[in-house]
Amino acid sequence: MSDKLSRQFAFLNEADKLKSVLRGTTLCDSSRRENSGEHSWHIALYAMVLAEHAERPVNIDRVIKMLLLHDLVEIDAGDNPIHGDHDPVEMARVEQTAADRIFGLLPPLQASEFRTIWEEFEAAETDDAVFAKSIDRVQPVVANLETGGGTWPEYNVTPEQLDYRVGVKVRRGAPALWEHLKARIDAWFDAH
């Protein structure tokens, strides 16, 4: 039992490092950039509140697990903003290596369970993962809208980019959420 607990605490202590990974998105009050730990908590809350808007029925407990685990790889890989300039193939390789190391800190059965949940999120093929991906994309859009465009000008985001990098994923898992946000998005781009 002592070894199991030691491994679990090692994983939890490592997960604390997610609070030091700054993201491209700012807080809704524009005071600073959010960190990945805050993002993971916030999107888990988003999922809990907005689950009724999923396109298909979801197991919210699994969705929340995915959202709490999905960005842990950023401890090693860093945050790569969706509108940033990076090589997605190289990023996937780096994240796989990070997943090996970080989930490998856990006892074997738990490591396997968490890794499987992380891989399900990444693949975005199940209803739970599709909805989780949608929510992961919704929260930064809301933050940008709440901050007068937030980092969209910094990344030279166009409406077309926003649609194919974000809208497609949100519509796939929660079309009502995208439709609700679309009027605000269009108004922002029309004004800028």
Side-chain angles (χ1 to χ4, degrees):
M1 181 59 93
S2 178
D3 180 58
K4 181 178 183 179
L5 281 171
S6 293
R7 292 185 74 150
Q8 289 170 323
F9 278 116
F11 171 81
L12 291 168
N13 291 337
E14 189 67 14
D16 187 69
K17 293 178 181 175
L18 200 58
K19 298 174 191 174
S20 298
V21 177
L22 293 181
R23 295 177 45 82
T25 307
T26 60
L27 300 181
C28 289
D29 69 0
S30 298
S31 62
R32 63 176 172 83
R33 295 202 186 252
E34 74 176 344
N35 67 54
S36 288
E38 292 166 329
H39 170 72
S40 294
W41 162 80
H42 206 193
I43 61 175
L45 187 61
Y46 263 66
M48 194 169 70
V49 170
L50 300 172
E52 69 187 87
H53 302 289
E55 176 71 356
R56 302 189 42 81
V58 295
N59 176 334
I60 195 60
D61 292 340
R62 285 191 52 74
V63 170
I64 290 171
K65 284 179 183 180
M66 285 179 199
L67 294 173
L68 291 174
L69 295 173
H70 85 287
D71 274 340
L72 285 172
V73 296
E74 291 183 4
I75 293 167
D76 292 353
D79 176 58
N80 289 282
I82 195 163
H83 300 294
D85 184 25
H86 57 276
D87 177 1
V89 173
E90 175 60 14
M91 188 47 48
R93 187 195 64 73
V94 170
E95 288 181 351
Q96 288 289 332
T97 301
D100 291 342
R101 185 188 75 75
I102 295 164
F103 295 123
L105 295 170
L106 286 161
L109 287 176
Q110 208 166 29
S112 176
E113 176 192 353
F114 286 16
R115 178 66 182 259
T116 299
I117 291 168
W118 179 79
E119 288 174 353
E120 181 181 346
F121 175 85
E122 289 298 310
E125 294 172 353
T126 65
D127 292 339
D128 293 342
V130 168
F131 180 66
K133 283 272 190 186
S134 294
I135 293 299
D136 185 38
R137 297 296 189 259
V138 163
Q139 185 259 353
V141 169
V142 171
N144 280 313
L145 288 169
E146 290 298 312
T147 57
T151 57
W152 289 340
E154 178 183 337
Y155 290 105
N156 298 311
V157 176
T158 67
E160 296 77 24
Q161 286 173 324
L162 193 61
D163 190 62
Y164 74 79
R165 292 179 181 170
V166 178
V168 169
K169 287 186 167 66
V170 177
R171 281 192 303 271
R172 187 169 173 228
L177 299 181
W178 188 251
E179 286 309 310
H180 179 79
L181 293 172
K182 187 81 168 87
R184 290 184 65 196
I185 292 166
D186 290 345
W188 187 87
F189 279 105
D190 287 346
H192 297 87

